[in-house]
Amino acid sequence: METGYEAFSFYYDQLTENVEYPQRAAYFHKLIQKYRQSEGVVLLDLACGTGSLSEEFAKLGYDVLGVDYSYGMLNQAMQKKLEHNLPIQYICQDMRELDLYGTVDVTVCALDSLNHLDSFSDVKTVFQQVFDVTEPGGVFLFDINTPYKHREVLGNQIYLYDTDDVYCVWENQYEEPDNQVTIQLHFFARQEDDTYVRSEECMTERAYPPEQVTAALQQIGWEVLGCYHADTEEPLREDSQRMVFAVRKTK
């Protein structure tokens, strides 16, 4: 079994083609303009993956720093950077141990990255790490899967993905404590001779109620500006699958 999402990184973009990165960046950009009080434009894309969202932020004029702990993901991001000639700096780091060269004005952590951490204690560690590197008046925006999604949508489902290059079997196993979903990925990569090479990846996601997340943020010192339904500015609903938090470091 490979670790660090190295196998997943080769197929990540193919399996997430439904993600509309320009629209997601535009949504976060709108919240940044609404809430940021610091003067700079340094943006940290935390758990940046293959850099698709980082590139959209760079196009919007931000000075982008992408951080991820997977070498495989960052290798894909670097290839895009070289191809598109965008001024993005990528660093391989664990988000629980941020060690940047300076401070940032904005941090975005998208696509349920915080759900992948091992415990809520780790989530709180990230909240503190981001707080420590944020300029006064800077903002932290992140999305996170809800307990409803883990329980009612992901559950014990099996999904199949079939692209030109890879066939993927995605198996979920739901456990009640921490609303935990263990995801087993089986990849069958097509070779030039039409044979297939198999690889596997296993990951676990945990979901937390909004009240728990809000309390942890406030305890650290973040000003919680909003908790929204998916990619909107509407209040969270009982059937929201994703919640988006907007918080600010007070001056």
Side-chain angles (χ1 to χ4, degrees), residues 147-159 170-175 180-183:
Y148 172 86
K149 180 177 181 178
H150 279 210
R151 183 179 63 252
E152 303 295 337
V153 180
L154 297 180
N156 293 296
Q157 300 295 322
I158 297 177
Y159 303 97
W170 181 307
E171 297 181 87
N172 293 336
Q173 182 178 355
Y174 176 74
E175 299 176 43
Q180 177 176 303
V181 176
T182 300
I183 302 168

Side-chain angles (χ1 to χ4, degrees), residues 21-42:
Y21 289 103
Q23 289 87 338
R24 295 298 305 280
Y27 168 69
F28 285 121
H29 178 57
K30 181 179 178 181
L31 292 179
I32 293 166
Q33 291 180 308
K34 181 177 181 179
Y35 291 126
R36 183 190 56 189
Q37 295 177 342
S38 63
E39 298 298 326
V41 292
V42 179

Side-chain angles (χ1 to χ4, degrees), residues 13-14 56 68 93 109-110 113 115 120 122 158 168 170 191:
D13 287 338
Q14 295 180 56
E56 296 302 327
D68 203 282
Q93 284 185 2
C109 188
S113 297
N115 293 105
F120 192 68
D122 284 341
I158 297 177
C168 174
W170 181 307
Q191 307 300 297

Side-chain angles (χ1 to χ4, degrees), residues 28-29 31-33 35-46 57 62-65 100 103-109 130 133-142 222 247:
F28 285 121
H29 178 57
L31 292 179
I32 293 166
Q33 291 180 308
Y35 291 126
R36 183 190 56 189
Q37 295 177 342
S38 63
E39 298 298 326
V41 292
V42 179
L43 184 148
L44 168 62
D45 186 4
L46 196 60
F57 284 129
Y62 292 98
D63 184 0
V64 180
L65 173 64
L100 306 182
T103 55
V104 301
D105 301 281
V106 180
T107 296
V108 175
C109 188
V130 175
V133 301
T134 300
E135 279 286 312
V139 294
F140 177 26
L141 310 173
F142 62 90
W222 289 106
V247 302

Side-chain angles (χ1 to χ4, degrees), residues 5-13 50 70-73 76 201:
Y5 306 143
E6 302 311 309
F8 193 23
S9 67
F10 287 105
Y11 317 115
Y12 183 83
D13 287 338
T50 62
S70 167
Y71 285 107
M73 292 287 189
Q76 300 296 320
E201 194 95 71

Side-chain angles (χ1 to χ4, degrees), residues 107-140:
T107 296
V108 175
C109 188
L111 298 173
D112 65 16
S113 297
L114 291 170
N115 293 105
H116 286 257
L117 294 172
D118 294 336
S119 67
F120 192 68
S121 177
D122 284 341
V123 175
K124 290 191 291 185
T125 296
V126 173
F127 291 166
Q128 183 66 63
Q129 291 285 328
V130 175
F131 186 87
D132 291 343
V133 301
T134 300
E135 279 286 312
V139 294
F140 177 26

